[in-house]
Amino acid sequence: CVKPSTPLSKGKHLYREGNNADRCYVVRSGVFKTFTMTPAGDEYVTGFHYPGELLGVTGQATGRHGDSAMALETSTACRVRLDDMATLWEIGGGPSLMRMLGQSERTAAGEHINLGQVRADARVAGYLLQLSGKQQQLGRDKLILHTPMSRTDLANFLGMTLESLSRVMGRFSKAGLITSRLGEIVLERPEELKTLALHLPESN
């Protein structure tokens, strides 16, 4: 009852806003971004989703997906149809699904709190630490962050301009807190990032 999608290449949609929401998805490999479009045609990035995370759950409330999900690199996801939920529970998969749902809610709450940070440096530091936690849960090196999203998408998600994000990342690099390379951000001094996320004075 749980079926993997065919591999989706970068830029391909798993589902689109307004599609029928008769299933939800569990990311199996790769990374997806979710986003909505405003009436004016502007894109609003709502999240980046790594293996083990749920997608498309909110669409079950209305029967239509309220956002779109796009692969940021070659990615796959397992499809879970609503009609199969009872069978999934009977064969012992229900508790695992509930754990994923709980983790999804916990992640969303943490991101919401972080996005409420007024200071740009605190917001960026907080997100990098949250992503570090995701890496650790996946059994990966928590200091080497896999970041296939563009800087434009990351700035959009964090509610910042691209210029503001670039300034923050530049300050972090100059201070030796991080090292940026293609598709990765290395946390060189995570303890100092924790301090920034909590106690940073006002920044531009």
Side-chain angles (χ1 to χ4, degrees):
C1 60
V2 178
K3 299 179 180 179
S5 68
T6 56
L8 297 174
S9 58
K10 180 179 179 180
K12 297 295 184 180
H13 284 78
L14 180 64
Y15 60 82
R16 294 178 183 270
E17 188 171 357
N19 285 168
N20 288 332
D22 61 348
R23 65 197 68 187
C24 60
Y25 302 85
V26 180
V27 180
R28 185 177 184 183
S29 65
V31 181
F32 290 88
K33 78 169 179 178
T34 49
F35 62 95
T36 62
M37 301 298 294
T38 68
D42 297 321
E43 184 177 296
Y44 179 70
V45 178
T46 56
F48 303 106
H49 306 274
Y50 287 72
E53 296 189 43
L54 282 169
L55 291 173
V57 176
T58 57
Q60 311 314 311
T62 61
R64 297 278 178 179
H65 285 296
D67 59 8
S68 300
M70 176 187 288
L72 295 179
E73 58 187 8
T74 300
S75 306
T76 59
C78 293
R79 304 189 297 268
V80 183
R81 293 181 56 86
L82 292 184
D83 293 342
D84 294 327
M85 287 295 185
T87 302
L88 183 65
W89 198 276
E90 288 175 4
I91 64 175
S96 293
L97 189 62
M98 291 301 293
R99 280 193 294 272
M100 282 188 284
L101 183 59
Q103 183 59 47
S104 177
E105 290 292 319
R106 182 179 179 183
T107 297
E111 290 177 346
H112 180 75
I113 292 170
N114 186 59
L115 292 176
Q117 296 278 353
V118 174
R119 306 174 184 89
D121 295 62
R123 203 178 305 170
V124 175
Y127 178 72
L128 294 178
L129 293 171
Q130 288 175 332
L131 185 51
S132 175
K134 287 186 181 183
Q135 295 274 142
Q136 189 172 26
Q137 289 174 0
L138 292 171
R140 300 174 181 173
D141 191 328
K142 66 179 182 178
L143 300 182
I144 302 177
L145 311 184
H146 179 51
T147 51
M149 71 285 289
S150 68
R151 285 284 180 90
T152 299
D153 280 344
L154 182 56
N156 184 312
F157 173 65
L158 293 174
M160 303 164 59
T161 64
L162 178 58
E163 293 76 14
S164 180
L165 176 61
S166 296
R167 285 196 297 271
V168 172
M169 297 295 280
R171 285 197 292 271
F172 285 5
S173 294
K174 188 175 181 180
L177 303 183
I178 65 171
T179 299
S180 296
R181 53 200 192 202
L182 185 61
E184 290 183 341
I185 296 174
V186 180
L187 305 187
E188 304 288 358
R189 291 151 65 181
E191 292 303 320
E192 293 186 37
L193 286 173
K194 290 179 182 178
T195 301
L196 288 172
L198 295 173
H199 305 298
L200 192 81
E202 192 69 36
S203 62
N204 296 322

